[in-house]
Amino acid sequence: MKVHKLEKIILMTGGVTLLLFLSVLFLQNFTFGHHHAAAIETVDPKKTDETAPFNKPGLKKVSEKEWDYELVIVASVFQYSPSEVEIPVGAKVKIIATSKDVIHGLEVVETNINLMLEPGLVTEKIATFRKKGEYLVLCNEYCGNGHHYMSGILKVVD
Ligand code: CUA
């Protein structure tokens, strides 16, 4: 079948338009797609250890807030501080985390907690652990040689 010349041009124009449209979508995603929805505050990554609350990582009971505890986590190559935490079952916990060096992930396996930790940004997430047990914390952003060993444990206890 012979395609008319005009039809060819129309088809090509359609193709180019589609390509342009897809490029714009891609660029938009690339540039704005990664919203720092939970990361509002910033911290000087070189001063993470001196900056509250990251100067004291760990679980703290808080009062007069919508959550019962704050869990401050500092990620660095290739570990979490603290690497092991005990959380009372049923407690509403606000995770407040950052990275000291490169981008790390913080995924709590078997939960919907899956955060990206970037140096200089504070990432927050409120979670309630309703089931007792040990939850593995994994880094799911490639961060270097020790990436595959970067892990932690959340123990949800009575
Ligand atoms: Cu930290 Cu991968």
Side-chain angles (χ1 to χ4, degrees):
M1 199 179 81
K2 211 178 156 193
V3 184
H4 196 274
K5 205 175 177 185
L6 187 64
E7 277 180 354
K8 262 190 187 170
I9 292 170
I10 290 170
L11 278 175
M12 269 179 63
T13 314
V16 169
T17 312
L18 184 66
L19 268 180
L20 275 174
F21 178 66
L22 287 176
S23 314
V24 168
L25 271 187
F26 175 77
L27 278 176
Q28 271 187 341
N29 261 320
F30 197 73
T31 327
F32 314 109
H34 178 212
H35 291 287
H36 302 296
I40 316 140
E41 297 163 69
T42 56
V43 56
D44 181 348
K46 287 188 214 87
K47 291 183 182 157
T48 305
D49 287 335
E50 303 145 46
T51 310
F54 302 109
N55 53 348
K56 285 174 191 158
L59 190 74
K60 293 170 200 87
K61 182 107 178 77
V62 294
S63 54
E64 290 171 36
K65 292 196 178 172
E66 282 169 48
W67 45 91
D68 312 309
Y69 290 87
E70 287 177 354
L71 173 56
V72 176
I73 298 178
V74 178
S76 59
V77 285
F78 299 99
Q79 60 188 337
Y80 297 103
S81 175
S83 60
E84 209 181 296
V85 195
E86 281 194 2
I87 295 172
V89 69
K92 196 170 181 185
V93 180
K94 184 180 202 176
I95 298 170
I96 305 169
T98 192
S99 163
K100 265 162 69 165
D101 37 48
V102 297
I103 294 177
H104 295 282
L106 193 161
E107 180 185 357
V108 184
V109 177
E110 289 173 49
T111 71
N112 65 348
I113 301 165
N114 191 355
L115 308 173
M116 185 190 265
L117 309 182
E118 292 176 71
L121 289 180
V122 180
T123 300
E124 300 183 339
K125 165 102 181 163
I126 295 174
T128 305
F129 295 88
R130 297 180 203 283
K131 250 176 78 185
K132 279 195 291 176
E134 292 196 0
Y135 295 80
L136 189 61
V137 178
L138 289 179
C139 179
N140 52 15
E141 295 289 333
Y142 184 76
C143 53
N145 282 337
H147 163 72
H148 298 288
Y149 304 105
M150 186 163 170
S151 66
I153 296 278
L154 286 187
K155 289 181 178 172
V156 179
V157 296
D158 269 329

